[in-house]
C-alpha cells in the first residue's frame, strides 16, 4: 500500500458537520490501492470497564474506549487518488475516530493522528477496539460554527447582467458621447447608455425564461463602463439611474420571485473616490491616508503618475494606479464600507452581494462583513470572487459561496479536448476531485459560471452554439446554482474583455430565438429537478471507445437522471450510451430536452438530460 498517498485531516472538506448533526469523514488513498475502508468512531468520553490481559499471564480490569465500526464508501476517483466517505451522527456531538484500511496487497492498517499502524499491533492492551490515542478528534459540533448558506440558493438559476451593455431603457440619462446601440465588437471606453430602466423592462422576459436570480455587475458611481473603479459607494451611477429606480428594480424582482444580487468592490477604489482625492491633494496631512496601503510619501517618487504602481509608493489592484488598494483593516474605512453593505440589504432589499477581488481582502474584514449583512437579512447570499480553491473562505464565518469557476473550466477543458481532459473519463475524474475539495453543503450553495464579464463567451470559446449547449447542459446537472451571462440566451459571441461586453441584440434572429427556447427548456428542467441535482449522488459514465462521450448518473430524492454529452461529431448509438450507464435494455427514459434521435442515439455535438422512468 502506498502510505504516502493516505491523507485525512480533521477539518475542512475531510471532516465537517454536513447538516449540523452528521459528520462526513473522508479519506484519500492511492487509486486502486485499498479495497475496503472502515471507520471506528466513538465519543471521546465514553469508556467502559473491560477485563483484558493487562500484564502477560495475568488478568485485570481496565477501561476501554467504546466505539463502533462504520463502513466507508468509495465516492470517487481522480485517477491518482480514490476518495472515501463515511457518515456518522455522534450521539453527544463529540467525535474521535480512526480509519482501518484493507489494502489490496492483503495488509491491514489503522490510520489516525499517529499515522499508519499495522492493525495487527493495534489495539494495545486494554483497548480492544482500537488505539484511543491514534484517533482523530472533532471535539464538538457547535451549531454556530456549522457552515450554513441560505436554502434558496441551491434552487436558483442566475442571470448575470453587465448593465452598460444590457438595455438602454432611458435615453435621458445617457452619458455624454453615448453611441447608438449596435451589434458587434465594442471597446471599453465606449458608452451605449444601458441602465437600470433597461433591466426593469426585461424582467418579464428574464422571469419568463425561468431565471430566479439576477446578478448585476457594479452599479455605483464610477468613471468606467464596467464600474469596478468606484467613486461613491453610496450613490447609483447617474448614467444607470437613480436610487428610486434601484428600489423599483428590487421591488419588481421580488414581485417576480427573482433574487437580486449586487457587486461590492471593496478591494480597491477608483481614482475619483473622495478620500483618495484627499490623499492625492493633501499627502501625509490627509485624514484618509490610512484608508489606503501607502508605503511612503510622496506617492509618485518620479514626480508623476506613470499609471504603473510598481513605480509608485502605494499598493493597488494589479498594477494600476487608477485602483488604489483599500486598507480594509482601518476602522474608519471599515465602518464606511460595512455601512454601505448593510444599507443596500436593509433599505433596498437586495438578496446578496458578490464580492470583487475577494481573495485579496483580509479574512477579518469578511468575518465582520458577514455579521453585518446577516444581521440585516439572515437569508442574504454572500459570494466571493475567487477562481481558485477557496476552502479558507468557506468555513462558515465568511462567505456562503465563491464563483465556482472550476466546474466550468473542467467542462470547457473537456469540450476543447485539452491534453489533460481529452476523454469523458478524465472529465469525470476532474469533477470528482472538485467535489472532494469542498464539503457537500458548500457545493450545493456554490455560484457556477461558465463565462462572465471576465472571460471569453462560451459560444466564442467553443466556436459553435452547439458546444455551448453541451456545456450548459452539463453545468446545469451539477450541484450549485448555475449562472448564464446575459446574451448567452441568444448565443451571443465575444472574446476576452472588452469583446465579452457587447450590446445585447435588440432584434434577435430566428437562430438566436431558437437558442433562447433551448435556454428556457434547460432552465425549466433545472428548476423542476434542482433538489436531485443538489442532493443526489453522482456517478460518472464514460466509454473507452468514445473519448468524446461523457456522462453522469444522479440518483436521489426518489428519482434517477442521466446527463450525457458527445463532444465529437459522430452519434453515440443507444446501445453504446446505455451500456456506459449499465442500463437494462428494457429501461425506459424520458428526454425532456428532446435531444435523442429517433433511434434513441445521442447525436454528435449534443448533450441530454434524461430521466429514468420507473
Ligand atoms: Ca440610458
Amino acid at each position: 500500500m502506498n502510505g504516502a498517498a493516505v491523507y485525512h485531516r480533521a477539518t475542512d472538506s475531510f471532516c465537517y458537520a454536513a447538516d449540523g448533526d452528521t459528520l462526513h469523514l473522508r479519506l484519500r488513498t492511492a487509486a486502486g490501492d485499498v479495497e475496503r475502508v472502515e471507520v471506528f468512531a466513538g465519543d471521546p468520553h465514553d469508556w467502559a470497564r473491560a477485563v483484558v490481559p493487562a500484564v502477560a499471564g495475568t488478568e485485570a480490569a481496565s477501561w476501554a474506549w467504546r466505539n463502533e465500526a462504520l463502513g466507508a464508501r468509495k465516492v470517487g476517483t481522480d485517477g491518482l487518488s480514490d476518495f472515501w466517505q463515511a457518515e456518522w451522527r455522534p450521539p453527544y456531538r463529540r467525535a474521535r475516530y480512526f480509519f482501518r484500511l484493507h489494502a489490496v496487497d492483503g495488509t491491514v492498517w489503522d490510520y489516525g493522528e499517529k499515522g499508519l499502524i499495522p492493525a495487527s499491533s493495534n489495539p494495545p492492551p486494554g483497548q480492544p477496539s482500537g488505539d484511543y490515542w491514534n484517533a482523530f478528534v472533532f471535539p464538538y459540533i457547535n451549531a454556530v460554527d456549522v457552515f450554513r448558506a441560505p436554502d434558496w440558493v441551491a434552487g436558483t438559476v442566475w442571470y448575470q447582467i453587465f448593465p452598460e451593455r444590457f438595455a438602454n431603457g432611458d435615453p435621458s440619462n445617457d452619458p455624454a458621447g453615448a453611441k447608438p446601440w449596435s451589434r458587434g465588437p465594442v471597446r471599453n471606453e465606449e458608452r451605449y447608455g444601458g441602465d437600470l430602466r433597461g433591466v426593469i423592462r426585461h424582467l418579464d422576459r428574464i422571469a419568463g425564461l425561468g431565471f430566479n436570480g439576477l446578478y448585476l455587475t457594479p452599479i455605483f458611481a464610477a468613471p468606467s463602463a464596467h464600474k469596478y473603479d468606484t467613486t461613491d459607494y453610496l450613490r447609483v451611477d447617474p448614467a444607470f439611474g437613480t436610487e428610486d429606480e434601484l428600489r423599483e428594480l428590487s421591488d419588481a424582482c421580488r414581485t417576480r420571485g427573482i433574487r437580486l444580487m449586487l457587486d461590492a468592490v471593496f478591494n480597491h477604489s477608483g481614482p475619483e473616490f473622495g478620500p483618495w482625492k484627499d490623499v492625492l491633494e493633501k499627502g501625509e496631512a490627509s485624514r484618509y491616508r490610512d484608508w489606503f496601503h501607502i508605503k511612503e510619501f510622496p506617492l509618485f517618487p518620479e514626480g508623476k503618475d506613470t499609471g504603473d504602481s510598481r513605480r509608485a509608493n502605494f499598493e493597488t489592484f494589479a498594477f494600476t494606479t487608477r485602483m488604489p488598494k483599500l486598507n480594509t483593516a482601518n476602522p474608519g474605512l471599515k465602518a464606511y464600507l460595512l455601512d454601505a453593505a448593510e444599507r443596500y440589504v436593509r433599505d433596498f432589499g437586495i438578496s446578496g452581494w458578490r464580492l470583487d477581488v475577494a481573495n485579496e481582502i483580509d479574512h477579518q474584514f469578511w468575518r465582520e462583513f458577514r455579521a453585518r449583512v446577516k444581521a440585516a437579512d439572515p437569508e442574504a447570499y454572500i459570494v466571493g470572487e475567487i477562481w481558485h480553491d477557496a476552502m479558507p473562505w468557506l468555513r462558515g464565518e465568511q462567505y456562503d459561496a465563491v464563483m465556482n469557476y472550476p466546474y466550468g473550466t473542467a467542462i470547457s477543458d473537456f469540450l476543447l479536448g485539452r491534453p489533460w481532459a481529452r476523454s469523458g473519463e478524465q472529465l469525470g475524474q476532474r469533477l470528482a476531485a472538485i467535489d472532494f475539495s469542498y464539503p457537500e453543503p458548500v457545493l450545493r450553495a456554490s455560484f457556477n459560471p461558465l463565462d462572465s464579464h471576465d472571460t471569453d463567451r462560451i459560444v466564442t470559446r467553443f466556436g459553435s452554439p452547439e458546444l455551448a449547449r453541451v456545456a450548459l447542459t452539463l453545468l446545469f446537472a451539477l450541484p450549485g446554482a448555475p449562472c448564464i451571462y446575459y446574451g448567452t440566451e441568444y448565443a451571443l459571441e465575444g472574446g476576452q474583455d472588452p469583446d465579452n461586453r457587447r450590446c445585447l441584440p435588440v432584434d434577435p434572429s430566428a437562430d438566436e430565438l431558437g437558442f433562447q427556447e433551448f435556454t428556457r427548456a434547460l432552465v425549466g428542467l433545472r428548476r423542476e429537478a434542482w433538489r436531485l441535482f443538489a442532493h443526489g449522488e453522482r456517478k460518472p459514465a464514460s466509454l473507452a471507445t468514445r473519448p468524446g462521450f461523457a456522462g453522469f448518473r444522479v440518483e436521489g430524492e426518489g428519482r434517477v437522471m442521466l446527463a450525457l454529452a458527445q463532444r465529437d461529431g459522430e452519434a453515440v448509438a443507444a446501445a453504446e450510451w446505455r451500456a456506459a450507464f449499465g442500463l437494462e435494455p428494457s429501461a425506459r427514459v424520458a428526454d425532456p430536452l428532446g435531444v435523442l434521435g429517433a433511434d434513441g442515439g445521442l447525436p454528435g455535438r449534443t448533450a441530454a438530460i434524461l430521466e429514468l422512468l420507473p
Side-chain angles (χ1 to χ4, degrees):
M1 189 184 74
N2 179 354
V6 176
Y7 186 77
H8 172 86
R9 205 166 186 193
T11 186
D12 291 344
S13 59
F14 282 92
C15 180
Y16 57 90
D19 57 3
D21 295 310
T22 304
L23 287 180
H24 286 187
L25 306 169
R26 290 168 156 188
L27 179 73
R28 191 191 72 197
T29 61
D33 221 14
V34 172
E35 61 185 15
R36 190 160 68 89
V37 173
E38 296 171 282
V39 179
F40 290 83
D43 185 275
H45 304 287
D46 190 10
W47 295 76
R49 252 169 120 67
V51 177
V52 292
V55 182
T58 70
E59 286 201 343
S62 181
W63 291 95
W65 172 48
R66 291 215 286 215
N67 55 35
E68 56 184 300
L70 315 165
R73 291 167 297 133
K74 189 171 135 182
V75 291
T77 182
D78 68 359
L80 282 176
S81 301
D82 286 343
F83 307 131
W84 303 83
Q85 178 170 315
E87 289 94 30
W88 189 53
R89 200 178 162 118
Y92 305 102
R93 308 182 72 76
R94 303 172 296 230
R96 280 186 90 102
Y97 56 94
F98 64 89
F99 298 88
R100 182 162 292 169
L101 285 62
H102 299 261
V104 294
D105 64 11
T107 57
V108 184
W109 302 84
D110 283 354
Y111 174 59
E113 278 197 3
K114 290 181 182 175
L116 285 162
I117 297 173
S120 57
S121 63
N122 195 20
Q127 293 171 29
S129 47
D131 180 356
Y132 181 82
W133 299 107
N134 186 33
F136 293 104
V137 182
F138 194 96
Y140 193 89
I141 302 173
N142 284 292
V144 296
D145 288 338
V146 175
F147 174 91
R148 200 189 82 75
D151 289 336
W152 58 266
V153 174
T156 299
V157 183
W158 293 96
Y159 185 77
Q160 179 190 349
I161 287 177
F162 187 84
E164 219 282 320
R165 307 286 161 68
F166 181 67
N168 187 354
D170 180 3
S172 77
N173 62 17
D174 287 1
K179 300 182 71 174
W181 207 259
S182 64
R183 281 180 179 263
V186 295
R187 293 189 305 177
N188 263 333
E189 60 274 22
E190 294 169 343
R191 297 294 188 281
Y192 290 88
D195 48 35
L196 298 183
R197 179 61 55 195
V199 177
I200 293 168
R201 296 225 168 119
H202 274 263
L203 278 186
D204 283 332
R205 183 181 70 91
I206 292 167
L209 291 173
F211 294 101
N212 57 348
L214 188 62
Y215 154 45
L216 303 189
T217 58
I219 61 165
F220 301 107
S224 67
H226 54 68
K227 311 291 174 203
Y228 282 102
D229 48 355
T230 316
T231 298
D232 188 342
Y233 291 85
L234 296 170
R235 187 163 144 249
V236 174
D237 193 282
F240 283 0
T242 63
E243 285 205 336
D244 285 344
E245 285 174 305
L246 176 58
R247 262 199 194 88
E248 185 184 336
L249 171 62
S250 180
D251 292 344
C253 283
R254 190 172 307 102
T255 303
R256 290 163 180 78
I258 295 173
R259 307 271 180 165
L260 177 62
M261 179 161 72
L262 298 182
D263 203 323
V265 190
F266 291 169
N267 177 66
H268 52 267
S269 77
E272 293 167 28
F273 182 44
W276 180 241
K277 282 168 66 178
D278 193 75
V279 171
L280 289 173
E281 188 185 317
K282 297 176 185 159
E284 283 191 84
S286 170
R287 58 187 285 227
Y288 297 110
R289 50 175 285 179
D290 292 332
W291 282 31
F292 303 90
H293 290 270
I294 293 166
K295 296 169 200 163
E296 61 179 330
F297 289 91
L299 297 175
F300 301 106
E302 297 172 32
K304 64 174 197 295
D305 179 0
T306 64
D308 182 347
S309 65
R310 282 167 289 207
R311 294 161 72 180
N313 274 328
F314 57 97
E315 293 173 17
T316 58
F317 168 68
F319 295 112
T320 171
T321 56
R322 289 175 50 79
M323 295 182 175
K325 182 169 171 62
L326 292 166
N327 178 13
T328 41
N330 176 274
L333 171 71
K334 196 186 305 195
Y336 170 78
L337 294 178
L338 295 182
D339 284 351
E342 182 180 334
R343 175 171 185 250
Y344 292 99
V345 174
R346 199 181 284 285
D347 299 345
F348 290 77
I350 69 160
S351 297
W353 280 114
R354 179 265 191 191
L355 313 168
D356 188 56
V357 199
N359 57 346
E360 296 188 18
I361 295 175
D362 61 277
H363 291 282
Q364 190 54 41
F365 178 85
W366 291 130
R367 292 185 186 104
E368 294 181 41
F369 175 92
R370 182 184 184 89
R372 285 284 292 274
V373 167
K374 296 285 184 177
D377 179 2
E379 293 302 303
Y381 182 45
I382 300 171
V383 185
E385 184 207 7
I386 300 188
W387 297 51
H388 52 84
D389 178 33
M391 198 61 242
W393 293 267
L394 294 166
R395 292 176 174 143
E397 90 289 23
Q398 295 175 62
Y399 312 156
D400 296 312
V402 292
M403 294 182 81
N404 184 27
Y405 281 101
Y407 270 159
T409 303
I411 293 168
S412 297
D413 286 351
F414 167 65
L415 294 182
L416 294 169
R418 300 288 193 211
W420 56 90
R422 285 201 198 284
S423 71
E425 182 184 22
Q426 286 170 304
L427 172 61
Q429 292 172 343
R430 180 74 195 115
L431 292 175
I434 297 166
D435 290 347
F436 202 67
S437 70
Y438 288 123
E440 286 176 7
V442 167
L443 285 171
R444 279 200 284 276
S446 71
F447 181 98
N448 296 344
L450 275 163
D451 57 359
S452 72
H453 64 289
D454 281 329
T455 72
D456 52 354
R457 285 180 169 278
I458 52 173
V459 173
T460 298
R461 182 183 308 162
F462 302 127
S464 77
E466 289 73 32
L467 286 183
R469 288 188 188 211
V470 172
L472 288 166
T473 304
L474 290 174
L475 183 78
F476 271 58
L478 293 171
C483 182
I484 283 186
Y485 186 40
Y486 84 97
T488 291
E489 72 272 31
Y490 295 150
L492 186 58
E493 297 178 337
Q496 298 284 348
D497 173 11
D499 197 33
N500 50 10
R501 300 165 183 188
R502 295 185 186 187
C503 297
L504 182 77
V506 292
D507 53 350
S509 67
D511 281 352
E512 289 166 344
L513 289 171
F515 203 100
Q516 182 171 243
E517 288 316 301
F518 157 76
T519 305
R520 190 193 315 275
L522 184 64
V523 175
L525 171 57
R526 167 78 196 190
R527 291 281 309 277
E528 185 275 317
W530 72 267
R531 285 178 202 280
L532 171 65
F533 297 126
H535 296 275
E537 184 145 337
R538 203 171 76 244
K539 290 207 172 74
S542 57
L543 289 165
T545 51
R546 299 268 192 198
F549 174 84
F552 44 86
R553 168 194 174 100
V554 194
E555 180 164 9
E557 307 285 321
R559 59 200 292 199
V560 178
M561 294 186 99
L562 312 173
L564 55 163
Q566 163 61 325
R567 171 192 66 202
D568 300 332
E570 69 274 15
V572 179
E576 288 180 280
W577 69 255
R578 281 173 166 262
F581 287 105
L583 290 192
E584 301 288 332
S586 60
R588 295 180 311 125
V589 296
D591 176 19
L593 298 177
V595 175
L596 297 183
D599 57 358
L602 180 67
R605 297 160 72 83
T606 68
I609 295 176
L610 310 176
E611 178 150 20
L612 215 52
L613 296 172

